[in-house]
Amino acid sequence: MKKINLLLLAVLAIFASCSGDDTVARSTVTIDISGLERLENGAEYQAWISNGAEVISLGRFTDVNFPKSFEALTGDVEGATQFLLSVEPGNDSSAEISQSILLSGDFVGNAATVDVSQNFGSYTSASGQFVLQTPTDNVSTNENSGLYWYVPATGQPGLKLPTLPAGWKYEGWVTVPGVSGDVDLSTGRFTNVNNADESDPFSLNINPAPDFPGEDFINENVLSAYGVNTLPNLVGKQVFITIQPIFDNTSSSSSISPFVLRPLVGTVTQEAGSSVTNTMQINTASFPVGRVTRD
């Protein structure tokens, strides 16, 4: 019995020693972000802290109800100089942060203001111009069913946008009526405003398109697959540019739905053949922002 009591005392002493070890103490990081939208296709948000030498995961989440709190080792929390929020593919088991970093901010004391500026730069000088036309077929009566971001009079690109960091691409969109309500149709992804985008599923490709981002929405078979049963007249419709994470778990080069970052928006006011281009407005109000605190 004496030996058993001595063994029990030894175990309790070891447990007490570990419980008082600062290396296992944990602290809380609380994030409060506005402007996020729930992700699709299994993708998840992931919160991280960094001390400049390594990036430490706090955890993943899919809902956008805030505030949220995470626990991490006190030493990691106190030593963190930066907070980051990334978008991660849901089927990814990697412990590494993806290239699609959405928000970040530096800790000042025990708080950090987080936004997109560290990753995407400034959009105060962004601009957009586009025209309606359907150059990929030989029909002249459907010119209001396509749009391209360029200025025909000068042959210059119609978009002025900052270069994106790795992990992101731009994508153009137009909202048109469908059988079951409005449908967002993609004009394709791109990284260079001086070249055509990556896809043209709605075009007919009888003739070449301008070497700029844009799309003819005249392929009736493809349109019907999206619930659009007639060639859309784009006059009066909403047009916008998004910044998309490049892994959306789809096999195509365009996304299923627009991401929350929409730096340029506009409404089609000028019909095809007009000497005046349609213009877009800066929409940085769509960018999420937040505050992170630690204790």
Side-chain angles (χ1 to χ4, degrees), residues 127-133 146-152 155-161 171-174 185-190 192-197 210-215 217 234 238-242 264-266 268 277-280:
S127 63
Q129 298 180 71
F130 62 91
V131 294
L132 298 190
Q133 57 182 216
L147 66 88
Y148 290 85
W149 277 277
Y150 82 114
V151 183
Q156 296 299 306
L159 289 169
K160 183 180 179 183
L161 292 165
E171 189 160 1
W173 302 85
V174 60
L185 297 179
S186 171
T187 66
R189 292 181 180 177
F190 60 95
N192 188 342
V193 300
N194 293 286
N195 296 119
D197 53 55
D211 196 21
F212 297 99
E215 183 78 357
F217 293 100
L234 303 185
Q238 297 297 307
V239 176
F240 54 101
I241 301 290
T242 60
L264 290 175
V265 299
V268 182
T277 58
N278 292 274
T279 59
M280 307 182 77

Side-chain angles (χ1 to χ4, degrees), residues 229-270:
N229 290 342
T230 59
L231 298 193
N233 181 349
L234 303 185
V235 177
K237 305 303 185 293
Q238 297 297 307
V239 176
F240 54 101
I241 301 290
T242 60
I243 304 171
Q244 302 280 147
I246 61 173
F247 58 84
D248 64 352
N249 294 345
T250 69
S251 59
S252 68
S253 58
S254 61
S255 304
I256 292 177
S257 60
F259 194 61
V260 65
L261 300 179
R262 305 182 182 190
L264 290 175
V265 299
T267 301
V268 182
T269 59
Q270 305 297 325

Side-chain angles (χ1 to χ4, degrees), residues 93-130:
S93 59
S94 171
E96 301 294 324
I97 188 171
S98 77
Q99 292 182 314
S100 300
I101 299 171
L102 175 59
L103 300 174
S104 62
D106 298 331
F107 279 104
V108 178
N110 289 325
T113 299
V114 296
D115 56 30
V116 305
S117 61
Q118 285 189 355
N119 308 304
F120 298 103
S122 173
Y123 279 80
T124 57
S125 298
S127 63
Q129 298 180 71
F130 62 91

